[in-house]
């Protein structure tokens, strides 16, 4: 019976000790996306992505303008079609129709490749920055003794009260000026 009493007492003491330690854990929060967009590397990557996006867009616009011109030519030939020139115009329209189909397929392929290229470039440029920001968050959390750090930017934190905002410490660790503002992404992030 004494052993049972000692066991229960020991479990109670351990349980209370665990609750006390749990109550002492520090919780912090950070807006990781905002910090990510404040980094110099992000601003450089963003400009590269914007330039690539503009280049691909211009290429596609040129192809689309050529497509529209051929389509206008085909419509004009169709309007000027008569019984006298029916056979010749029909042959031309058939050739133009095949050209238009081919051009449409090329445009779709160029669009697909452009989206893939942008996605790959985005991943190539942004992944190292994300890693750097996460490493800085982890370092600050360890240095300051946080048990948990919540990311308020991703919408998964539905409620928090208290805790300490460690954003300034993370920005400092990354060498970002206190008055820096986030850059607007050139293309939506691929996550």
């Amino acid at each position: 019976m004494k052993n049972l009493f000692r066991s229960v007492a020991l479990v109670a003491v351990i349980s209370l000790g665990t609750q006390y330690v749990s109550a002492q854990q520090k919780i912090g929060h950070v807006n990781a996306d905002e910090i990510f967009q404040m980094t110099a590397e992000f601003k450089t990557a963003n400009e590269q992505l914007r330039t690539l996006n503009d280049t691909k867009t211009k290429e596609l616009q040129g192809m689309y303008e050529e497509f529209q011109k051929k389509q206008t030519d085909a419509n004009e030939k169709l309007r000027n079609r008569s019984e006298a020139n029916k056979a010749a115009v029909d042959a031309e329209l058939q050739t133009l129709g095949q050209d238009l189909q081919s051009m449409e397929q090329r445009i779709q392929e160029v669009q697909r490749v452009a989206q893939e290229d942008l996605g790959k470039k985005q991943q190539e440029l942004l992944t190292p920055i994300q890693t750097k920001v996460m490493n800085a968050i982890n370092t600050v959390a360890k240095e300051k003794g946080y048990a948990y750090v919540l990311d308020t930017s991703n919408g998964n934190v539905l409620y928090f009260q208290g805790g300490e905002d460690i954003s300034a410490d993370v920005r400092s660790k990354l060498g970002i000026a206190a008055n820096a503002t986030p850059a607007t992404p050139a293309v939506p992030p691929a996550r």
Side-chain angles (χ1 to χ4, degrees):
M1 187 74 162
K2 283 186 178 184
N3 286 337
L4 179 62
F5 180 74
R6 284 184 187 161
S7 295
V8 169
L10 182 60
V11 168
V13 168
I14 290 173
S15 177
L16 287 174
T18 303
Q19 289 177 355
Y20 178 74
V21 170
S22 294
Q24 298 301 314
Q25 292 180 341
K26 289 174 65 175
I27 298 174
H29 57 90
V30 65
N31 187 330
D33 281 350
E34 184 177 90
I35 292 171
F36 175 78
Q37 292 173 10
M38 288 179 176
T39 63
E41 295 92 339
F42 176 78
K43 291 173 183 173
T44 301
N46 199 37
E47 284 305 313
Q48 289 178 16
L49 289 170
R50 184 167 287 145
T51 300
L52 180 61
N53 188 44
D54 291 348
T55 301
K56 298 291 184 182
T57 299
K58 286 178 185 173
E59 180 183 355
L60 283 165
Q61 284 175 337
M63 292 177 77
Y64 188 67
E65 287 170 5
E66 185 181 340
F67 178 83
Q68 285 180 320
K69 184 179 180 220
K70 280 197 183 246
Q71 198 170 33
T72 301
D73 290 348
N75 289 337
E76 187 65 31
K77 288 186 185 295
L78 187 59
R79 272 195 300 273
N80 293 330
R81 183 173 169 246
S82 66
E83 283 299 319
N85 64 5
K86 181 178 179 181
V89 170
D90 284 349
E92 288 178 38
L93 286 173
Q94 185 172 0
T95 301
L96 277 172
Q98 290 170 347
D99 288 349
L100 286 169
Q101 251 184 344
S102 176
M103 286 180 75
E104 187 174 24
Q105 289 171 349
R106 279 196 318 263
I107 289 171
Q108 289 173 351
E109 179 63 16
V110 168
Q111 278 180 318
R112 185 189 64 74
V113 169
Q115 287 175 341
E116 283 179 8
D117 289 350
L118 276 169
K120 287 176 186 175
K121 191 67 169 178
Q122 189 175 25
Q123 193 73 18
E124 172 190 322
L125 294 173
L126 301 183
T127 298
I129 303 167
Q130 289 171 328
T131 301
K132 181 179 177 181
V133 170
M134 287 308 300
N135 288 341
I137 291 169
N138 291 338
T139 300
V140 168
K142 287 176 186 172
E143 287 173 356
K144 297 216 172 230
Y146 288 100
Y148 301 97
V149 175
L150 307 174
D151 184 0
T152 59
S153 64
N154 62 18
N156 290 335
V157 179
L158 299 178
Y159 176 81
F160 71 93
Q161 181 175 352
E164 185 177 334
D165 186 353
I166 64 169
S167 297
D169 295 324
V170 173
R171 286 192 300 268
S172 174
K173 183 69 70 185
L174 291 168
I176 298 172
N179 61 350
T181 58
T184 304
V187 292
R191 290 192 173 192

